[in-house]
Amino acid sequence: MPAPAVGPEHPPGQALPRGRNAAVDHRRRDRSVPVGVTAADFAGTALAPVRDHAGAVEDRTVLVGALRALAPAHREAMVRFHVMGRAGKRVAAQPGVPRGTVKSRTRHGVRARRAE
């Protein structure tokens, strides 16, 4: 029996299936990605850490309880200034009180909360 021919036209027994499988895998991998999206589009992305919702609920409960203990005028000034992050001038414009009154109410509100 003659020896099998080996060369570029006649690869050895396992080389042809491996080469064909590699080509098919490469083609299928390219088809599995949506058109226009490449792996480079996902470089450097990571899932955002999951926030602890129980901690947020507890924080909110403590905040609401603390604000309920304040006088209504102080509570309104505190919420608008500290919780909503508005400037003193803008906080004063909403209820129509002088800016100094808003400063006083927020200061007294913070002092009342610290005293407890």
Side-chain angles (χ1 to χ4, degrees):
M1 171 182 224
V6 177
E9 296 174 5
H10 305 285
Q14 293 287 324
L16 184 61
R18 285 184 185 164
R20 182 180 62 237
N21 290 346
V24 169
D25 290 346
H26 184 62
R27 173 76 177 138
R28 287 180 180 163
R29 183 192 67 207
D30 289 344
R31 287 190 316 182
S32 68
V33 177
V35 176
V37 179
T38 63
D41 296 332
F42 297 103
T45 60
L47 294 175
V50 177
R51 187 167 177 228
D52 180 21
H53 296 290
V57 170
E58 181 182 0
D59 292 345
R60 184 172 305 175
T61 303
V62 169
L63 178 64
V64 168
L67 290 173
R68 282 187 178 155
L70 295 174
H74 295 155
R75 182 183 323 128
E76 181 181 9
M78 294 280 290
V79 168
R80 290 177 191 266
F81 187 76
H82 291 288
V83 177
M84 298 172 102
R86 294 187 177 161
K89 188 175 183 180
R90 191 170 172 203
V91 173
Q94 190 76 19
V97 297
R99 189 171 176 201
T101 303
V102 170
K103 287 181 179 181
S104 174
R105 288 178 180 173
T106 56
R107 188 183 74 231
H108 286 293
V110 169
R111 197 170 15 177
R113 294 311 322 147
R114 286 183 181 161
E116 289 184 10

